[in-house]
Amino acid sequence: MKLPNRNKVYIPRNKLLKYLLSETHPIGSKKAQFFLQIGFNKTNMRRLEDVLLKIGRTNEVKRVRKFEYGINYAIDGTMKTPIGKIVTITSVWFVKTVKSRPRFVTAYPV
């Protein structure tokens, strides 16, 4: 199964800047350590965004978790990092209703 409305996936800019690449965010800092270690940072954030969007648009959904306010979809994918490594990550996307645009929630190493 593919992500519903996958052609409309989006990532709020602050989700990358102030969460996934933030070394000071209470939850995101652990993820930031991973992404910074493999060469992603605030100067090449667009590259990370492009890879995450591609995973959301093209890869198969691995897990679905329903909540009172919507559904989270976990999608695994591989990416080539700025330091030349190939890593596998899980990205999570939130869909509020059947017609909603999938919004990026988080990503972490598999």
Side-chain angles (χ1 to χ4, degrees), residues 14-108:
N14 281 340
K15 194 59 125 164
L16 294 180
L17 187 62
K18 294 184 179 182
Y19 173 70
L20 203 61
L21 295 174
S22 170
E23 294 178 275
T24 59
H25 190 279
I27 298 170
S29 62
K30 294 292 183 197
K31 296 167 188 177
Q33 288 173 5
F34 168 74
F35 285 104
L36 294 168
Q37 190 175 26
I38 61 173
F40 289 105
N41 56 54
K42 293 174 183 175
T43 63
N44 63 10
M45 183 172 60
R46 179 71 179 165
R47 184 171 172 184
L48 178 58
E49 180 181 29
D50 290 343
V51 171
L52 292 170
L53 290 171
K54 183 178 178 186
I55 289 170
R57 287 183 187 121
T58 61
N59 292 21
E60 295 287 324
V61 171
K62 297 295 182 187
R63 290 171 301 287
V64 176
R65 187 171 176 198
K66 294 181 181 183
F67 294 92
E68 179 181 348
Y69 300 104
I71 302 173
N72 276 357
Y73 295 88
I75 302 174
D76 292 347
T78 58
M79 64 168 63
K80 185 174 182 181
T81 70
I83 61 170
K85 292 178 82 174
I86 303 292
V87 297
T88 303
I89 61 147
T90 297
S91 63
V92 179
W93 303 84
F94 174 76
V95 176
K96 187 172 184 171
T97 68
V98 183
K99 294 182 180 184
S100 297
R101 293 177 67 193
R103 183 181 76 229
F104 176 77
V105 175
T106 192
Y108 49 86

